[in-house]
């Protein structure tokens, strides 16, 4: 029997897309996007929904799951910009299971809201760069 694990390929594709941009633009996008993505991931985790906006499945007792035992997974929902990349802190070992089972982080394509926010941020940064301003 194989373990259920999250698929982080969409986050990796986001990293690859940022690396294709000019270094200064991608660094600015990453710096602006990291706190926004942190808020989106944390908001979904705290609200009991998946990052895709669907309600989290109920537990075996029929009650809503909090997914809180030590708080380590919730703290790991923080994204930071490292140059032109965006990454999470080191994820606790069982967080990949939570990603696979409860979509606490993207498990496949980026959520529509995340994609829209990233597009807005990228457009604003690139527009600022075209105009010659520095954000």
């Amino acid at each position: 029997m194989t373990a259920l694990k999250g698929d982080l390929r969409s986050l990796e594709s986001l990293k690859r897309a940022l690396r294709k941009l000019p270094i200064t633009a991608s660094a600015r996008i990453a710096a602006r996007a990291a706190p926004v993505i942190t808020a989106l991931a944390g908001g979904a985790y705290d609200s009991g929904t998946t990052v895709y906006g669907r309600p989290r499945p109920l537990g075996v007792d029929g009650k809503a799951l909090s997914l809180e035992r030590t708080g380590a997974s919730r703290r790991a929902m923080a994204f930071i910009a490292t140059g032109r990349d965006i990454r999470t802190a080191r994820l606790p070992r069982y967080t990949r299971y939570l990603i696979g089972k409860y979509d606490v982080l993207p498990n496949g394509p980026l959520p529509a809201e995340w994609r829209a926010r990233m597009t807005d941020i990228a457009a604003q940064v690139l527009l600022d760069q075209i105009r010659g301003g520095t954000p």
Side-chain angles (χ1 to χ4, degrees):
M1 180 174 183
T2 61
L4 182 62
K5 291 195 175 187
D7 179 5
L8 300 176
R9 285 182 287 191
S10 63
L11 294 176
E12 290 300 320
S13 68
L14 176 61
K15 282 183 181 182
R16 282 192 304 278
L18 283 171
R19 287 187 190 129
K20 289 180 183 177
L21 293 171
I23 292 172
T24 56
S26 59
R28 287 182 184 135
I29 292 168
R32 285 188 183 182
V36 172
I37 293 174
T38 296
L40 291 170
Y45 195 95
D46 294 340
S47 71
T49 62
T50 69
V51 292
Y52 300 102
R54 295 184 299 266
R56 219 181 267 153
L58 300 177
V60 294
D61 59 359
K63 296 181 182 177
L65 296 172
S66 71
L67 303 183
E68 289 288 328
R69 180 174 283 167
T70 65
S73 287
R74 173 59 181 93
R75 285 189 301 276
M77 297 296 118
F79 288 80
I80 57 172
T82 56
R84 59 187 194 178
D85 287 335
I86 299 172
R87 66 173 184 85
T88 62
R90 183 178 163 105
L91 295 174
R93 188 175 66 217
Y94 49 85
T95 303
R96 279 192 175 260
Y97 173 79
L98 297 178
I99 294 168
K101 178 111 174 136
Y102 301 113
D103 290 334
V104 297
L105 286 177
N107 190 16
L110 283 178
E113 185 177 4
W114 289 37
R115 197 171 39 253
R117 299 290 293 275
M118 288 291 295
T119 301
D120 292 343
I121 291 167
Q124 187 59 49
V125 167
L126 294 174
L127 186 60
D128 289 344
Q129 187 169 347
I130 289 169
R131 291 180 177 160
T134 56

